[in-house]
C-alpha cells in the first residue's frame, strides 16, 4: 500500500484525512483446458483518484479454496493497520475498510454464508426464498433487514455455515459487503431482461424486431465517443457481450434503440430500471437526495417484473434491486463500489501468464517489474478539445450543448484558443415517464441553430465538460437525431 500511495502527488497525500480501502476477492481461471484458478485479494485506496488497484495476496490451486485460511494473514495485517493507523513519512493516517466487493458466490464464500440459491441466501434481509424452478424472492416491501449484531450472533442460523475471518475486524458485516453493480445488475438483471426479449416465449420479440434493434446498435457505433470501452454489437453476439456492453445498453443506448420496437409496456418498465440506475451511478444526483426516488422506482420495477415476466423472474439478482440504493448512498455512487476496476486489473494479471509452468512465479515477477516501472501520477487539469466526431460533443449547461467543428486561427483577449462550434440550444425530453429525461441528462434536440458561434476554450473548459458517464446520454441522443 505504501508503494501505491507514493505514486500520487505529495499534495494529494498531504491532504488525506484517512485511508479508505476497498478490496476484492474473486476467482480467475488462468487456462481454458485446466480447472486451476488464481484467487487474488486485491485492494485500492477509494478516496484518492484515480483508483489504483494493487495485489495483497495471490493464491493458486487446482480448484476453488476449500477453506478461508488463505485470508488469515491479510486479515491480521489489516486488523493491525486499522488499529494503529498507517504511517507515511511523518504522518500517521487512520485506515478504514470501506468495502469488500465480490460477486455473489465469492461473497457467500468469504462471509461463510449460504449461497444465493439457498432459501436464506439473501445477505441483506431475512426473507425466505420460494422455489419456482429456481430460487426466487417474492416479497418486495416491508423486508426485515439484517444487522451487524444479528450477523455476528448468527441469529438466523439457516443463513450461516461457519464463521468468517472478517468478523475479527471492526466493520459492519452487512453494509461493508455491497451489492456488486457490475455482476448483479449489468451481467445479472440487464442480461436477464435482454435474453427474455429474445428468447422468452411470453414476451419474445419477432426476428424482424431483433434485427432492427441490432441495426440501430450498429448504426450508433460511429457516434460513440472514446470514453466508452466498447462499441455496440449486434444482438446475435449477445452471449459474448461483456459487462460494459450491458451497462452501455442499460444507461445509454437502450433508451434509443428499444424505443418504438419494444412493446410500450415493456419499454416503460425498462425505463424505470434505466432511470433508477442512472441516478444511482451519479454522485451529483445522490448528493441531491434522489436515491429515495431511485429506490421507489426499483421497487416498482421488481413488482411489475413479476407481472410481466412471471414469478420465476424474481431471482436473487433481481431481488437485490430492492437493496442496492442503500449502497449507492453509503458509497456515494454505484461506481464507487463496483468490481469494474478490479476486473480490469485481473485481465492484466491473466495476460502475465505465458506458459503453464509455475504461473504464480510468472505473475509475481511481472508484478515486481511493474512496480519498478510505475511513475508518480500527475493529474492533467487541461481538457483537450477535439474537433472530429465522435469526440467533439460538449455540454455547455443543462440546456445547451455544442459540436466543435474547427479551430480558429485567432485568439481571444486572454490569448486562449477559439473554436468554431455548432450550438444546440432548443431541446425536448427524450421521455417524460417515469420522469423528465433531463433529470439524468438525456434529451434530444428539437431544432438546431443555423448560425455558427465561436466559443473560447477557457469558457468551454470552465462551463462545459467532456462527455463522460453522466452526460453520454445527451451525446448519443443528439447524434441520433442528426
Amino acid at each position: 500500500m505504501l508503494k501505491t500511495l507514493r505514486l500520487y502527488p505529495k499534495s494529494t497525500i498531504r491532504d488525506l484525512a484517512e485511508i479508505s480501502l476497498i478490496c476484492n476477492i474473486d476467482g480467475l481461471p488462468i487456462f481454458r483446458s485446466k480447472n486451476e484458478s488464481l484467487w487474488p485479494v486485491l485492494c485500492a485506496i477509494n478516496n484518492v483518484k484515480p483508483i489504483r488497484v494493487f495485489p495483497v495476496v495471490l493464491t493458486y490451486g487446482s480448484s476453488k479454496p476449500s477453506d478461508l485460511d488463505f485470508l488469515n494473514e491479510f486479515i491480521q495485517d489489516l486488523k493491525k493497520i486499522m488499529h494503529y493507523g498507517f504511517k507515511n513519512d511523518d504522518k500517521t493516517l487512520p485506515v478504514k475498510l470501506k468495502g469488500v466487493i465480490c460477486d455473489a458466490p465469492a461473497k457467500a464464500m468469504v462471509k461463510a454464508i449460504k449461497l444465493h440459491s439457498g432459501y436464506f441466501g439473501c445477505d441483506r434481509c431475512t426473507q425466505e426464498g420460494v422455489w419456482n424452478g429456481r430460487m426466487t424472492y417474492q416479497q418486495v416491501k416491508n423486508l426485515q433487514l439484517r444487522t451487524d449484531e444479528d450477523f455476528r450472533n448468527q441469529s438466523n442460523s439457516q443463513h450461516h455455515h461457519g464463521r468468517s475471518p472478517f468478523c475479527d475486524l471492526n466493520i459492519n458485516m452487512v453494509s461493508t459487503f455491497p451489492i456488486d453493480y457490475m455482476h448483479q445488475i449489468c451481467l445479472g438483471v440487464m442480461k436477464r431482461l435482454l435474453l427474455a426479449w429474445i428468447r422468452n416465449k411470453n414476451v419474445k420479440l419477432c426476428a424482424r424486431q431483433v434485427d432492427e434493434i441490432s441495426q440501430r446498435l450498429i448504426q450508433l457505433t460511429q457516434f460513440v465517443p472514446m470514453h466508452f470501452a466498447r462499441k455496440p454489437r449486434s444482438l446475435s453476439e449477445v452471449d459474448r457481450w461483456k459487462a460494459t456492453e450491458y451497462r452501455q445498453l442499460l444507461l445509454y443506448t437502450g433508451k434509443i434503440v428499444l424505443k418504438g420496437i419494444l412493446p410500450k409496456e415493456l419499454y416503460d418498465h425498462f425505463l424505470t430500471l434505466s432511470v433508477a440506475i442512472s441516478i444511482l451511478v451519479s454522485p451529483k444526483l445522490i448528493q441531491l437526495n434522489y436515491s429515495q426516488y431511485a429506490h421507489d422506482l426499483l421497487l416498482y420495477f421488481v413488482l411489475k417484473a413479476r407481472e410481466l415476466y412471471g414469478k420465476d423472474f424474481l431471482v436473487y439478482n433481481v431481488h437485490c434491486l430492492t437493496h442496492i440504493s442503500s449502497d449507492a448512498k453509503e458509497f456515494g455512487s454505484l461506481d464507487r463500489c463496483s468490481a469494474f476496476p478490479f476486473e480490469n486489473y485481473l485481465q492484466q494479471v491473466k495476460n502475465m501468464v505465458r506458459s503453464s509452468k509455475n504461473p504464480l512465479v510468472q505473475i509475481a515477477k511481472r508484478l515486481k517489474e511493474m512496480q519498478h516501472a510505475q511513475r508518480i501520477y500527475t493529474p492533467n487539469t487541461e481538457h483537450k478539445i477535439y474537433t472530429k466526431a465522435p469526440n467533439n460533443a460538449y455540454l455547455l449547461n443543462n440546456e445547451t450543448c455544442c459540436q466543435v467543428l474547427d479551430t480558429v486561427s485567432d485568439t481571444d483577449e486572454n490569448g486562449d484558443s477559439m473554436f468554431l462550434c455548432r450550438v444546440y440550444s432548443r431541446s425536448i425530453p427524450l421521455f417524460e415517464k417515469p420522469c423528465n429525461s433531463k433529470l439524468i441528462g438525456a434529451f434530444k434536440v428539437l431544432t438546431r441553430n443555423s448560425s455558427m458561434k465561436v466559443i473560447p476554450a477557457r469558457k468551454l473548459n470552465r462551463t462545459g465538460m467532456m462527455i463522460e458517464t453522466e452526460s453520454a446520454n445527451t451525446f448519443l441522443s443528439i447524434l441520433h437525431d442528426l
Side-chain angles (χ1 to χ4, degrees):
M1 184 166 68
L2 181 61
K3 292 180 180 178
T4 301
L5 196 62
R6 288 179 176 174
L7 292 175
Y8 294 95
K10 289 186 177 180
S11 58
T12 303
I13 301 172
R14 185 171 57 248
D15 296 337
L16 277 181
E18 68 172 14
I19 295 177
S20 176
L21 283 180
I22 54 174
C23 70
N24 171 262
I25 304 168
D26 200 1
L28 177 68
I30 301 295
F31 307 107
R32 293 183 179 180
S33 58
K34 295 182 179 181
N35 290 329
E36 296 174 351
S37 61
L38 181 73
W39 279 80
V41 177
L42 307 177
C43 285
I45 302 172
N46 194 37
N47 56 336
V48 183
K49 291 184 179 180
I51 288 180
R52 287 182 176 272
V53 177
F54 57 93
V56 179
V57 176
L58 295 176
T59 303
Y60 185 78
S62 58
S63 63
K64 178 180 176 180
S66 57
D67 53 47
L68 299 176
D69 290 346
F70 74 101
L71 294 176
N72 288 341
E73 284 189 49
F74 166 67
I75 297 294
Q76 293 307 312
D77 289 344
L78 191 56
K79 186 177 180 180
K80 288 179 182 178
I81 64 171
M82 288 176 66
H83 180 74
Y84 295 105
F86 184 80
K87 189 171 183 179
N88 178 41
D89 296 331
D90 58 345
K91 186 178 181 181
T92 300
L93 296 171
V95 177
K96 178 182 179 181
L97 181 61
K98 182 68 174 178
V100 182
I101 301 164
C102 310
D103 61 10
K107 187 193 297 186
M109 183 184 79
V110 300
K111 291 184 71 175
I113 59 175
K114 299 295 178 65
L115 281 168
H116 58 281
S117 56
Y119 281 96
F120 293 91
C122 179
D123 59 312
R124 292 305 185 89
C125 67
T126 60
Q127 178 182 175
E128 182 177 0
V130 178
W131 183 259
N132 281 294
R134 54 183 60 86
M135 191 57 63
T136 63
Y137 297 84
Q138 299 298 321
Q139 187 179 347
V140 179
K141 297 182 178 180
N142 302 319
L143 301 173
Q144 183 180 350
L145 301 179
R146 299 187 188 277
T147 65
D148 179 56
E149 183 181 359
D150 291 339
F151 186 94
R152 292 179 182 275
N153 294 333
Q154 298 195 6
S155 301
N156 183 359
S157 60
Q158 293 173 296
H159 178 61
H160 302 262
H161 59 67
R163 184 181 182 278
S164 170
F166 279 96
C167 289
D168 293 337
L169 301 177
N170 184 24
I171 60 173
N172 188 311
M173 288 298 295
V174 178
S175 62
T176 306
F177 293 80
I179 295 166
D180 179 23
Y181 146 68
M182 185 191 110
H183 285 101
Q184 295 178 240
I185 308 302
C186 299
L187 288 171
V189 180
M190 188 61 240
K191 183 176 182 179
R192 191 171 187 82
L193 269 180
L194 189 55
L195 293 181
W197 299 333
I198 299 174
R199 298 168 185 172
N200 189 323
K201 62 181 180 180
N202 296 325
V203 294
K204 184 179 179 181
L205 301 175
C206 67
R208 179 188 60 79
Q209 292 172 313
V210 174
D211 288 342
E212 190 172 349
I213 293 173
S214 295
Q215 289 173 12
R216 288 186 178 185
L217 284 169
I218 294 170
Q219 287 171 0
L220 278 179
T221 56
Q222 59 184 313
F223 303 129
V224 176
M226 62 183 179
H227 300 89
F228 290 90
R230 294 175 179 269
K231 301 287 187 179
R233 284 197 285 177
S234 166
L235 293 183
S236 61
E237 300 181 80
V238 69
D239 291 323
R240 290 181 289 277
W241 278 22
K242 303 296 184 182
T244 52
E245 293 172 283
Y246 287 109
R247 177 178 62 178
Q248 188 181 90
L249 185 71
L250 173 62
L251 299 180
Y252 309 118
T253 58
K255 303 178 184 73
I256 300 170
V257 300
L258 298 175
K259 191 172 185 178
I261 300 177
L262 200 64
K264 188 177 186 306
E265 191 175 26
L266 297 182
Y267 179 74
D268 290 345
H269 182 244
F270 163 76
L271 280 183
T272 61
L273 176 65
S274 181
V275 169
I277 301 301
S278 295
I279 291 172
L280 296 180
V281 298
S282 168
K284 180 179 178 181
L285 293 177
I286 294 294
Q287 289 176 1
L288 294 173
N289 296 322
Y290 279 99
S291 57
Q292 182 58 47
Y293 174 60
H295 177 68
D296 293 339
L297 287 178
L298 291 174
L299 292 183
Y300 170 80
F301 175 85
V302 177
L303 285 168
K304 191 68 175 177
R306 182 166 55 194
E307 177 186 329
L308 294 173
Y309 300 101
K311 291 183 178 181
D312 61 340
F313 191 82
L314 302 191
V315 294
Y316 173 72
N317 286 334
V318 177
H319 168 71
C320 282
L321 292 173
T322 63
H323 301 301
I324 200 169
S325 60
S326 61
D327 288 337
K329 192 172 182 179
E330 173 71 20
F331 286 82
S333 78
L334 291 183
D335 280 327
R336 294 178 182 174
C337 59
S338 78
F340 278 109
F342 296 106
E343 286 294 320
N344 293 337
Y345 189 85
L346 285 176
Q347 290 307 308
Q348 296 178 36
V349 171
K350 189 172 183 178
N351 293 333
M352 294 174 186
V353 180
R354 300 300 183 187
S355 70
S356 58
K357 185 179 179 180
N358 297 328
L360 200 58
V361 175
Q362 296 178 54
I363 294 171
K365 287 182 177 180
R366 300 296 86 76
L367 288 173
K368 191 172 183 179
E369 291 168 1
M370 285 175 61
Q371 287 178 355
H372 290 299
Q374 286 178 331
R375 297 180 178 179
I376 295 176
Y377 169 72
T378 52
N380 182 13
T381 57
E382 293 293 327
H383 288 297
K384 184 177 180 180
I385 307 298
Y386 293 90
T387 58
K388 293 184 179 180
N391 302 309
N392 62 336
Y394 297 85
L395 286 178
L396 301 178
N397 53 49
N398 289 336
E399 297 288 338
T400 308
C401 56
C402 74
Q403 284 179 287
V404 180
L405 303 178
D406 202 358
T407 305
V408 179
S409 56
D410 296 333
T411 58
D412 66 2
E413 63 276 7
N414 295 321
D416 290 329
S417 301
M418 301 179 73
F419 297 87
L420 191 65
C421 302
R422 178 178 289 125
V423 178
Y424 300 85
S425 58
R426 288 175 287 177
S427 63
I428 60 173
L430 178 64
F431 54 83
E432 294 186 348
K433 292 182 179 180
C435 67
N436 190 302
S437 62
K438 293 183 182 181
L439 172 66
I440 57 172
F443 62 86
K444 68 187 210 177
V445 173
L446 177 64
T447 58
R448 72 184 183 195
N449 293 353
S450 57
S451 60
M452 302 294 245
K453 294 190 177 181
V454 176
I455 309 287
R458 60 183 177 83
K459 182 178 180 182
L460 189 60
N461 286 341
R462 188 171 67 249
T463 62
M465 62 177 291
M466 297 189 65
I467 304 304
E468 296 179 355
T469 26
E470 294 180 36
S471 51
N473 288 308
T474 303
F475 176 86
L476 293 169
S477 302
I478 291 168
L479 295 184
H480 179 64
D481 240 25
L482 297 180

